Amino acid sequence: MGDSEPPSIRPPETITITVLRARNLKGSSTKADAVNAMVKVEFGEKGLGESPKVDCTADTPAEFNYNATMSCTYDDPTALDEIAHKPVVLTVIEVLPKEKKQKEEKTVQLGQCTVDMLPLVKGETKHRYTLVVNPLPGSPLETIPPEAPRPEVDVMLSVNEPLVDNSQLDAGNLMTITVESLFSPPESWTLTGAQYAYAAALPVPVTSEKETPIVFANGALKPGIDKEVPNKQKKWAVPATAQANAIYMPDQFIAQDAIEDEDGDFRGKDDREHRTVAEQEKNRCTWNTERRSYLEGSAVKSFQDKIAKCRYWPLEVMRLPQPASGKGKKKQDEQADTKKGSGAVKDDEGSVSFHGVAFVNLAPLLYPGVKRIRGAYKIYSYTDQALYEKTKRKVGLGEEAARIANNILNRSTASPGPKKGGGGGKDDKKEKDAKKGGPTHQSSRHSRLDDSRHSKVPGDETRRSNSIAQTHDSEDHDTHAKDHHDHKKTSQTIKSDAGSEHEAQAPVNLEGQQYVDSKSYIMFEICLTKPLIPKRPPEELARRVAEYIPPRPLFPKRTDGAQRAVDDFHTQVSSVAGLILDEFRDMFGDDLKTDENLSQEAMEARRQKLIYELNASGKYFAFKEQLKHSVVKIVREKYLKTTNFEDRQELQTFLSELYVYLIDQMHESLTKTLSLEDQAPVPAPLTDSEQLKHFAREAEVNGNFELATKYYQERIARNRNDPSHWFDYGTFCLYINDITKAEECFKECVAIDQKHLHGLLLFGVVCTLQEKHEAAETFFEAATCVQPKSILAWTMLGLFYDAVQNEIGAEMAYIEANKLNQQAAVNAARALKEEELAKQRVEHSESEASHKGRNKSDSNLSRPSSEYRRGSARGTPQMEEASEETPPREPTPVPTSSIYMQAIDWLLEVKAVPFTERALAHELLSPMGGLTAHYHIALARVKLQKSDLKEAEESLNEALQFDYQNPDVWALMGHVMYLLNDTTEARSCYERTIDFVADASEMHSVYLRLGSIYLRDEKFQEAKNTFLMACKRSPSCVSWLGVGMACYRLGELAEAEDALSEANILNNSDPEVWGYLSLVCLKTGRQLEAEQAYKYAIKVNLEDTDLLDEIIRTQQEAGFGNPQF
């Protein structure tokens, strides 16, 4: 026990409140120009001192320069909390001149202002204010005209060292709680008859194990006709001695949010009318009060853990008896004291009425980056059972909050008003109360504090100015905690006894039930200085993504070196050679066309003439300068010669060696240049990237995965820097369950483009399948940062959080996705409306232009109408004006599909089956979703991808119950039957699909499979027509092959050859195409072409035995076609 040392506690820090000056003051005397004033400084209920008396005139401010000090102790965790939520009250007092035979000076309180010490809690060491002095009732400052300068006070707050060090700033937090108004209160709350006080309370953690109740006690019932101003100024929760407008916090106003952006209840479209009526017509109970609470590191951790365990936080509301004020209160205290002396105890139970509770969902505070929630929260009837079910708390604040509220209300009603005389006799009364021995604990505590404040001991003024208010509040809090503990034990005992008699009956709160009947709600806000869960900034996410997948440059880096110098020399030589060749053609081009053979002398003459022309025109010098830089680089990079030569012999040796090397490189460069010119140009490919993608998808549907892989790889080979090529190949690998290859593809996609949204999402999907959850979260979050307005990105983030059982994160992502979905619906409706209005304007302008001539010719007939209209303007009613009515409010646009269905459509395209199944489960429970045709179609597509054909058939049968004429259902049903080898039923489904007016979303596979069924059933004409429809929509090798096969069976050999040639152009390695070309050539008697086609068919591995047998039989019939004969 003696070994462990207690943790060191920081010594108290002195806070200095410097009242610098006051200006524009006005005194009681209208004759005197100067105002003799002083400033009284108070914190809570403790006086910190009074400034000296200084004169203030209209031109000269009163320079007080008075320092009041107080200490901030660190042994109490609530000390910083008090500084955060209690103001320093400055009271400006006018000192009147003494009259004859007057012993004491008379004073008049002019006004007050409050100093917010929050900047010191945030770590500042100095902060300066210029505050407006709010006049007190009856003060001369009330007579100042609005256009005149307002009375002001300059104040400086300062500390030697920050009250909160960096570690506390990082670990702690500052919570700001605002209770605005309770709307739609019970109908029994009236403005006539007995008046009551209204309070709201909630618990706030102080340390890791301790909570303290925060009470808002100044609620006032107001009528509905008393409209609230738009920018409502907040009040101090504990104004202490502040009065009149000084109870309002400087520059703090209640923010207004749109209903759809709120976090509470009553946000639906059905609740809008109720809220409008409640806020504009019915009575309301208004607080408009802000309370700050400083949370140290352990309290922040406790607060976060409690929200994670139970997201609902109780906010209790209650009605209390209005406290008596003034002398009547003292008489009641004396009567109560007399009763106490006689042994009677005053029963304080039953003082709380209309006890209700709002369950505030604080889960949004655990969303990354969220530090504020605000909304309308429904009030329920308070019972311990309901409180425990929602918040896992066994007992509420109840009587403890009522006692705290009564203390606050008693202080406010007992606070002195403006006085014109001295305060004599005040200490005598308190001494008498102390002698009686009858006051309560609260009153006796006030007496001790007041006595200590008013005792006049030399040197005690300084000591009193260095004291702080936390002693009073810590005692008060300990007393409340003890009373609450005693009350809790008593109440639990009573409830256990009552429960033994009526175990089956749930407790009933009839008064609280009126909140539910009236649909009461309270506007409530919690704001933190920093989020509980920090959101990673986009820069950090981009850096993390780059750490997982380094970005790949589009082009390889070019580095200086010997090889680059040589390559540069080759380039320059090729360029100069081309220029010389152009010059030669310009000079001797005509001679080259006529002359056939030239003698050696003539050729030398041409060379001399060319050299002369190059020298005379200066081109030779230009060519030399062009080559000089590349030669210098060779000298420096290859031979590493960067300094002067020591002797001439060494220079000559080097020049000889360099000359030989340059001549060799020149010949090598010219050889490459001339050989490239002699080569035939490489023909451009006949198929583009989109066609290759179409061919790959076609092979994928047909189950030819080897061919599909070939097409995807060919796309990548053509352009390795296109991220979409890697992405498409990755989705194919995901479909065939090659997760490793899919990861490589998506990694390449993101390496090329770090902001590729779909690549980021699917790499996150692959990481989730591999249980790399930290990396997956990084990529999903990065996707939301790349496109913050993407519904898909937020929905995928929510599905990931579902997979890792992060309920709060999933809720946050889905809320954001739904907001974007609703906004997209509104934007689409607005765009549609603007388009219709533009169309109407065009039609209106055209109609006016067409009737312009008619209006001119009928001008005489139009005059009576104009006169009638002028007459109607003087008072005669017009039919048009009378018929005008206020247009009805347009309904809020509704999204066409839920966020889950939008994600499902994309996930089905990219073959991410696990995430698709999770999204389908959400769609089933979504208010916008449920069991619909679209849902069953999506479910059937998932079953098809998993090859669960029977379950897919069941889902499609369910879809037909919702929409019998949906072509997608019939197309998928045909695929299911085709894969089940039920060709008769498949043909019926495909034919029905084609007969619909609207096409299915994917018709190409329908045409191909229906055509193959026709070929199998020997309906060659129908097969030909079906394959031609496929060729018309999206031609491919398979579709043209089908046409060629059908034409061959019909005996249309010329058309068959044309179709097979088209197929061969699109894919020259298809063995069936070469096989049928060989048959056509055999039928048309072309031996050489028949043999070549047959050899290519064998070369590309023709495996169709029936086709091979047919070719061999035809060769035998024709007597040629096989070189082996």
Side-chain angles (χ1 to χ4, degrees), residues 283-299:
N283 296 344
R284 67 182 182 278
C285 181
T286 301
W287 286 270
N288 291 342
T289 302
E290 177 180 297
R291 168 64 154 86
R292 287 100 169 241
S293 180
Y294 176 77
L295 306 179
E296 62 180 21
S298 61

Side-chain angles (χ1 to χ4, degrees), residues 416-649:
K419 300 180 296 180
K420 294 192 177 182
K426 188 175 182 181
D427 295 336
D428 297 336
K429 290 181 181 179
K430 291 179 179 178
E431 288 175 2
K432 290 178 182 178
D433 290 339
K435 289 177 182 178
K436 286 180 183 179
T440 59
H441 176 70
Q442 181 75 16
S443 302
S444 64
R445 188 164 68 252
H446 281 301
S447 300
R448 291 197 301 271
L449 292 169
D450 290 338
D451 290 341
S452 65
R453 188 173 67 227
H454 288 282
S455 60
K456 300 292 183 180
V457 180
D460 188 54
E461 183 94 12
T462 306
R463 285 193 298 272
R464 282 190 290 105
S465 64
N466 289 332
S467 63
I468 191 173
Q470 80 272 7
T471 305
H472 162 74
D473 289 325
S474 62
E475 290 177 3
D476 193 19
H477 176 71
D478 293 340
T479 305
H480 294 327
K482 184 177 182 300
D483 293 342
H484 174 62
H485 180 68
D486 296 339
H487 168 72
K488 181 176 177 182
K489 291 200 297 185
T490 306
S491 62
Q492 285 178 348
T493 304
I494 294 171
K495 286 174 186 174
S496 63
D497 294 340
S500 62
E501 297 175 4
H502 307 285
E503 291 182 358
Q505 294 182 1
V508 178
N509 181 356
L510 297 178
E511 289 181 337
Q513 185 62 28
Q514 296 186 35
Y515 290 119
V516 181
D517 298 338
S518 301
K519 297 178 70 174
S520 304
Y521 62 92
I522 187 169
M523 297 299 297
F524 178 75
E525 178 189 42
I526 289 182
C527 185
L528 303 171
T529 53
K530 56 185 178 182
L532 296 176
I533 307 296
K535 183 177 182 179
R536 291 187 285 186
E539 297 79 12
E540 181 185 349
L541 287 170
R543 180 180 57 80
R544 293 288 301 275
V545 170
E547 289 177 358
Y548 283 111
I549 305 175
R552 192 181 78 188
L554 293 179
F555 302 100
K557 294 182 179 180
R558 301 186 64 181
T559 57
D560 291 333
Q563 185 59 41
R564 182 183 174 187
V566 174
D567 293 341
D568 188 28
F569 178 72
H570 286 181
T571 304
Q572 298 301 328
V573 168
S574 300
S575 175
V576 171
L579 294 174
I580 294 174
L581 186 58
D582 292 339
E583 187 70 22
F584 182 83
R585 287 169 180 165
D586 292 339
M587 292 177 62
F588 307 110
D590 296 336
D591 298 339
L592 292 175
K593 295 178 182 178
T594 56
D595 295 344
E596 295 181 358
N597 295 320
L598 291 178
S599 61
Q600 190 69 25
E601 293 78 4
M603 294 176 63
E604 181 65 21
R606 282 186 179 178
R607 189 178 72 84
Q608 294 293 337
K609 188 176 180 182
L610 175 63
I611 293 175
Y612 174 78
E613 182 64 25
L614 293 177
N615 280 291
S617 62
K619 293 180 181 179
Y620 176 79
F621 180 76
F623 295 156
K624 185 174 68 173
E625 290 297 319
Q626 183 175 345
L627 290 170
K628 181 191 293 184
H629 182 67
S630 59
V631 173
V632 170
K633 285 202 298 183
I634 288 178
V635 172
R636 290 177 177 176
E637 298 293 338
K638 185 168 182 61
Y639 290 94
L640 305 178
K641 298 292 185 181
T642 57
T643 59
N644 295 331
F645 291 92
E646 295 180 357
D647 54 10
R648 190 173 182 83
Q649 183 62 33

